[in-house]
Every structure is written in structure tokens, then in C-alpha cells.
């Protein structure tokens, strides 16, 4: 799959929760889009990822 | 324009300060803290960007520590579709339905794309967002955004980051007069007097990023803006004198000695 623009391989059956915990020290202030759809935080543990998914994990940056 | 001489209210929420802080260009979280303190701002923008696992982060924490509300923006979006998805991500990430809506037309001017902006504003308002659109200095478009349900309108003084000041003060005054939602001048501010002018023209607030964050002394400039916004606001409430073509003596003519 592609995570934040780079190819990434995850264990089969990995969920959004698994990916976030790999990627971020804390899930606070984080949001996830999977194939251009927001995955609500409450659905992270129950949302499996597939090899064709394109995932964006975002947070706050200085701006505006 | 907001008629109440004391409160700055957007979507039912009273803001302590009429100065909205943009965090773009800030050099560190320490400087951000000092700028917040000096500015007195109670609302600050953040951008939505990819998590950098190597970054130290901390901007949200600084805002929360200082009791400053988070206003996510959709900077970098060129289409309504991108902007709507970005707003939804922001709502999920920061637990706020407020969004400073930016949909730009090209990377050289960063001017808003009016068509995409209005489309995005309508979609987001329909979905319950509190939408503050960054818009052109166009009184007609500002009214259209208000009619779409936007909680405020944020017309530009000049293109983002230019520091050129308010290029069309007449239009800004028209927008302030003709909109019933708060008008917050956004973009193009170069120095404190530009912010005072915005308030004198009838704006309910001013948003400043670059002019503070990239000043030689950001915290000192933040303090200057705090005073300028208040000065401009007080001057507007006090009522400026009419402009005259010829001089009018301020000392009495009567009693002038015959010398």
C-alpha cells in the first residue's frame, strides 16, 4: 500500500489502528484518510487495510 | 459588521481577541508561545499536513496550553473536493467543526478560486461545519458566501505573504457594511497600521500570520498588532472626522490680536 506518498508493506490483516501506532507516537491530533475517505477514529480498530489502499495520516502543522 | 461594541462573536462563540493568529512561518514552538502571549489571541490557525514520524511536533500542545482555539485551514487545496476532505480530516483530528476554508486558484498569486470556494463552502455548511472562508475582496462574493451559511467571511487585503497591505480599502469597507456575519481581514497585512486600517474600515477582526511570524522580533510585532487592532477598533467606534478639502483652523479666529 501507499502511506503518505511512500510504498509500505504491512502484515496481512493489519488495521488502521496498527498502522497509526506504527507511524505516530500518539494518536492525539491525528486523522486518517483511506482511499480519499476519512476513517473515523472509532473505526480504526475494525478497519483492515489492503495492499491496494492509499492512506494519508495527517496532523497539525504551522500554517495559515 | 458586528454591532456590539464589546464582543467578537463567531457562530455563537465569543472570542477574547479580535486578532486571529496564523501560525504559518513560525520558527519554533517557543516563539509561538511568546507570540501568543504578546498577541492576546484566542484563536489560531493550523494546516493539515502529513505526519512526519521524525518531527517533534507540539503545535497543538502549545495552543492548548495557552487556551487558544484551533482553527484548521485547508491551505494548499485547489478544488472543492480536496478542501472538503481536508476539512473532514481536520474535524476528526482536532475535534472541531470550525474550518478556515481556503481554495486557491494558482500557486503564484494564491488568490481564491471563487467558483471552487463557493462550492466547498456550500458543501461544508450543509454538513454542519462552521465555515470561515478566505475570499477575494469582492463584496458580491462575500454576500454569496454569507448566504451559503458561512459564519464569517475573510477577505484578503493583498495576496498571502506579500505584506502589501489593504489594496482595495473601498471594497473592504463595502464588505464590512454589507455582510451581517463578522468580517475578518485576512492576508496581505504588512505591519500594524494595516491592521488598524482594517478595523477602521469596519472589520470585526484581523488575521495575521506572516507579518508577525516573519518579523525580526515576532513577539514584539504580535504586541504591536494587539494594540493596532484595538486602536483601529476604538477609532471606528469613536467616529473619525469628515475629510475636508481645505484647512479648518483648530484655534479660534475670534479674539486674534491685531498685531
Amino acid at each position: 500500500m501507499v502511506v503518505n506518498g511512500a510504498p509500505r508493506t504491512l502484515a496481512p490483516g493489519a488495521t488502521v489502528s496498527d498502522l497509526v501506532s506504527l507511524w505516530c507516537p500518539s494518536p492525539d491530533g491525528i486523522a486518517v484518510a483511506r482511499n480519499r475517505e476519512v476513517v473515523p477514529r472509532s473505526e480504526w480498530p475494525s478497519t483492515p487495510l489492503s495492499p491496494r489502499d492509499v492512506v494519508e495520516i495527517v496532523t497539525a502543522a504551522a500554517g495559515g | 459588521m458586528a454591532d456590539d461594541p464589546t464582543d467578537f462573536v463567531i457562530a455563537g462563540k465569543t472570542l477574547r481577541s479580535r486578532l486571529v493568529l496564523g501560525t504559518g512561518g513560525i520558527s519554533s514552538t517557543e516563539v509561538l508561545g511568546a507570540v501568543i502571549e504578546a498577541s492576546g489571541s484566542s484563536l489560531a490557525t493550523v494546516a493539515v499536513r502529513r505526519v512526519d514520524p521524525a518531527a517533534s511536533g507540539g503545535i497543538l500542545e502549545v495552543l492548548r496550553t495557552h487556551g487558544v482555539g484551533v482553527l484548521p485551514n485547508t491551505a494548499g487545496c485547489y478544488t472543492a473536493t480536496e478542501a472538503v476532505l481536508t476539512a473532514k480530516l481536520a474535524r476528526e483530528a482536532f475535534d472541531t467543526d470550525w474550518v478556515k476554508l481556503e481554495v486557491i486558484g494558482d500557486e503564484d498569486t494564491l488568490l481564491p478560486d471563487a467558483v471552487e470556494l463557493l462550492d466547498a463552502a456550500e458543501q461544508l455548511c450543509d454538513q454542519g461545519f462552521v465555515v470561515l472562508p478566505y475570499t477575494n475582496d469582492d463584496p458580491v462574493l462575500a454576500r454569496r458566501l454569507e448566504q451559503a451559511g458561512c459564519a464569517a467571511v475573510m477577505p484578503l487585503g493583498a495576496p498571502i505573504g506579500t505584506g502589501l497591505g489593504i489594496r482595495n480599502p473601498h471594497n473592504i469597507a463595502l464588505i464590512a457594511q454589507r455582510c451581517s456575519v463578522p468580517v475578518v481581514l485576512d492576508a496581505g497585512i504588512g505591519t500594524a497600521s494595516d491592521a488598524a486600517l482594517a478595523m477602521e474600515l469596519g472589520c470585526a477582526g484581523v488575521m495575521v500570520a506572516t507579518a508577525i511570524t516573519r518579523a525580526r522580533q515576532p513577539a514584539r510585532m504580535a504586541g504591536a498588532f494587539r494594540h493596532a487592532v484595538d486602536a483601529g477598533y476604538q477609532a471606528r467606534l469613536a467616529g473619525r472626522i469628515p475629510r475636508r478639502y481645505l484647512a479648518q483652523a483648530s484655534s479660534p479666529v475670534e479674539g486674534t490680536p491685531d498685531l
Side-chain angles (χ1 to χ4, degrees):
Chain A
M1 75 187 68
V2 175
V3 180
N4 283 0
R8 181 96 186 176
T9 306
L10 241 67
T15 66
V16 171
S17 281
D18 298 329
L19 178 62
V20 169
S21 60
L22 273 175
W23 210 265
C24 315
S26 157
D28 188 37
I30 301 290
V32 177
R34 175 172 162 262
N35 304 326
R36 297 179 191 276
E37 293 280 344
V38 177
V39 183
R41 190 175 295 266
S42 60
E43 296 175 16
W44 289 357
S46 59
T47 304
L49 292 164
S50 79
R52 301 174 80 98
D53 282 343
V54 176
V55 179
E56 294 285 346
I57 309 176
V58 298
T59 189
Chain B
M1 93 179 62
D3 289 320
D4 190 308
T6 54
D7 288 341
F8 179 32
V9 181
I10 297 178
K13 183 181 168 68
T14 302
L15 299 170
R16 289 194 308 273
S17 165
R18 293 176 182 275
L19 176 56
V20 179
L21 194 61
T23 61
I26 203 82
S27 57
S28 70
T29 50
E30 289 75 23
V31 174
L32 177 58
V35 161
I36 290 169
E37 288 292 321
S39 70
S41 293
S42 58
L43 187 64
T45 61
V46 297
V48 177
R49 290 293 178 265
R50 285 171 168 167
V51 169
D52 176 0
S56 56
I59 189 166
L60 284 178
E61 198 181 322
V62 175
L63 298 182
R64 285 172 186 158
T65 302
H66 289 83
V68 172
V70 176
L71 178 60
N73 70 26
T74 63
C77 293
Y78 285 81
T79 66
T81 304
E82 290 169 358
V84 168
L85 179 53
T86 302
K88 289 178 176 174
L89 283 167
R91 179 166 64 181
E92 185 69 19
F94 315 132
D95 199 24
T96 177
D97 48 16
W98 286 41
V99 62
K100 184 193 161 199
L101 178 62
E102 297 183 34
V103 191
I104 55 172
D106 70 76
E107 64 184 17
D108 295 323
T109 66
L110 302 179
L111 289 170
D113 181 320
V115 176
E116 295 291 324
L117 178 68
L118 188 57
D119 180 5
E122 286 169 344
Q123 290 186 50
L124 289 169
C125 289
D126 286 349
Q127 294 177 43
F129 282 86
V130 173
V131 182
L132 291 74
Y134 163 62
T135 181
N136 299 289
D137 54 0
D138 175 352
V140 178
L141 179 58
R143 286 287 294 275
R144 291 290 298 267
L145 289 162
E146 179 183 350
Q147 287 161 6
C150 292
V153 291
M154 303 182 70
L156 57 85
I160 294 168
T162 60
L164 290 171
I166 299 174
R167 305 313 298 168
N168 195 336
H170 180 65
N171 271 19
I172 297 298
L174 276 176
I175 292 169
Q177 286 161 20
R178 293 159 61 88
C179 284
S180 55
V181 293
V183 174
V184 181
L185 191 100
D186 179 19
I189 296 271
T191 189
S193 55
D194 296 331
L197 174 60
M199 299 304 289
E200 288 169 0
L201 292 170
C203 292
V206 177
M207 182 178 149
V208 183
T210 309
I212 291 176
T213 61
R214 297 204 161 102
R216 200 165 56 241
Q217 296 182 44
R220 173 170 281 190
M221 188 60 92
F225 270 101
R226 178 185 200 156
H227 293 301
V229 168
D230 189 49
Y233 182 58
Q234 297 300 332
R236 174 158 61 83
L237 293 180
R240 64 155 297 137
I241 58 166
R243 290 177 172 84
R244 301 172 61 93
Y245 186 68
L246 291 174
Q248 181 186 37
S250 56
S251 304
V253 176
E254 258 176 51
T256 304
D258 192 6
L259 303 173

